Amino acid sequence: MPDSLSDPLFTSADALVPTLAAHHVAVLAPDQTAQALDVPAPVLASWSTAWQDLPIDQYLKDGGRYRKRRHGSYVVQADTATLAPHRAHWQPLEYNALHGGMTRWFEPLQPDLAQHPHWLQMLVRLGAVFSQVEARAVGNEPAQQPNPQPWFVEAHQFRIDTEGGIGRPTPEGAHRDGVDYVVVILVGRYQLLGGESRVFEAHGRKGERFTLSQPWTMVLLDDHQVIHETTPIRPLAEGAYRDTLVLTYRRHSFQDAQ
């Protein structure tokens, strides 16, 4: 587990679409995250308090109690993000060998966050980015509408703590999520070592490693082309934790048990 922080290679908000289309991964520094999402930095910072009240994840097969989370689902189309009725989170074993095949009911996002106008705008803006990436993939000009097709979005609030001595952000190891695009946003990290992000080609040997150290740094991933993981964390002092927001975007439908 590395003890040093290695910064990622950042891209700008203006170059986000071509970078993600060409390299299948893009990382934005906090100021560029605010620009790309069209959400003022003080608003982003104000959301961090919503990570103080996350219930323990009761489904960890390793018996750990180091992960806390909430979950919500949305449908994004055109310039609208609509909160879907609360639903279970499910992944197939093909993508999550540890927790796949389980119907996991997590507590919902808190209403003030789940329906916050800037939160909904964030979801729409990210959908527009992915729609533009899709258009580039087939050689089309970006569509006039921000999101010409619906995106089925799952939002996960995570806190990984070290009360048991070590915390595992991705206990399933390097993986894909079985969606089209994945967004990982660092909300905060406190008094910890580790937590290195690793992104590898799904069908090749190339990869990169970096550490998200500044709140509201954002990583966008093409889930078809790359696999990802985050290394375990250990404490530098009592109360160490790592907070993230993970958003997954999928065409056609939510991922449900077959």
Side-chain angles (χ1 to χ4, degrees):
M1 183 188 306
D3 291 346
S4 61
L5 301 181
S6 54
D7 287 333
L9 178 63
F10 291 114
T11 189
S12 67
D14 292 339
L16 174 55
V17 170
T19 299
L20 185 58
H23 301 290
H24 315 304
V25 57
V27 188
L28 273 64
D31 62 329
Q32 296 301 297
T33 296
Q35 180 179 331
L37 302 180
D38 195 21
V39 177
V43 173
L44 292 175
S46 73
W47 290 345
S48 63
T49 58
W51 271 254
Q52 302 301 321
D53 182 29
L54 302 183
I56 290 175
D57 183 339
Q58 303 287 348
Y59 295 94
L60 289 173
K61 283 190 174 181
D62 63 6
R65 295 175 64 82
Y66 53 81
R67 184 159 75 180
K68 301 176 175 66
R69 66 193 297 179
R70 289 183 182 271
H71 171 246
S73 301
Y74 297 82
V75 179
V76 172
Q77 188 168 23
D79 59 355
T80 301
T82 303
L83 181 65
H86 193 53
R87 51 190 299 282
H89 176 55
W90 186 87
Q91 293 174 293
L93 282 166
E94 175 186 359
Y95 295 106
N96 189 329
L98 185 61
H99 297 114
M102 301 172 65
T103 300
R104 293 182 283 170
W105 284 96
F106 300 111
E107 290 297 313
L109 305 177
Q110 295 171 326
D112 288 351
L113 183 67
Q115 297 278 28
H116 192 290
H118 279 109
W119 179 272
L120 299 176
Q121 178 173 287
M122 169 185 69
L123 300 178
V124 170
R125 288 297 293 262
L126 287 168
V129 167
F130 299 138
S131 292
Q132 291 174 48
V133 171
E134 298 277 295
R136 279 178 173 262
V138 295
N140 291 339
E141 292 296 321
Q144 294 300 312
Q145 285 186 306
N147 296 292
Q149 65 173 1
W151 290 104
F152 296 84
V153 182
E154 294 191 51
H156 304 263
Q157 290 178 275
F158 287 104
R159 168 164 288 190
I160 308 299
D161 65 36
T162 58
E163 291 182 14
I166 193 168
R168 296 178 174 83
T170 53
E172 64 273 35
H175 66 284
R176 291 162 56 204
D177 286 324
V179 296
D180 292 297
Y181 297 96
V182 178
V183 181
V184 181
I185 301 175
L186 180 71
V187 176
R189 56 181 284 150
Y190 175 73
Q191 292 293 331
L192 61 88
L193 294 171
E196 181 183 67
S197 299
R198 298 177 176 179
V199 181
F200 307 98
E201 290 179 338
H203 311 291
R205 297 183 177 182
K206 293 182 180 179
E208 54 186 292
R209 301 161 55 174
F210 50 84
T211 305
L212 306 181
S213 59
Q214 297 300 315
W216 303 102
T217 303
M218 178 169 66
V219 183
L220 299 92
L221 306 167
D222 182 334
D223 196 51
H224 296 283
Q225 300 297 330
V226 299
I227 59 177
H228 63 280
E229 66 176 337
T230 303
T231 62
I233 62 173
R234 66 178 189 267
L236 283 170
E238 185 177 353
Y241 64 83
R242 182 177 186 268
D243 290 348
T244 55
L245 170 63
V246 175
L247 305 167
T248 63
Y249 281 68
R250 192 170 190 264
R251 305 184 201 92
H252 308 308
S253 66
F254 289 114
Q255 194 165 228
D256 289 312
Q258 303 300 314

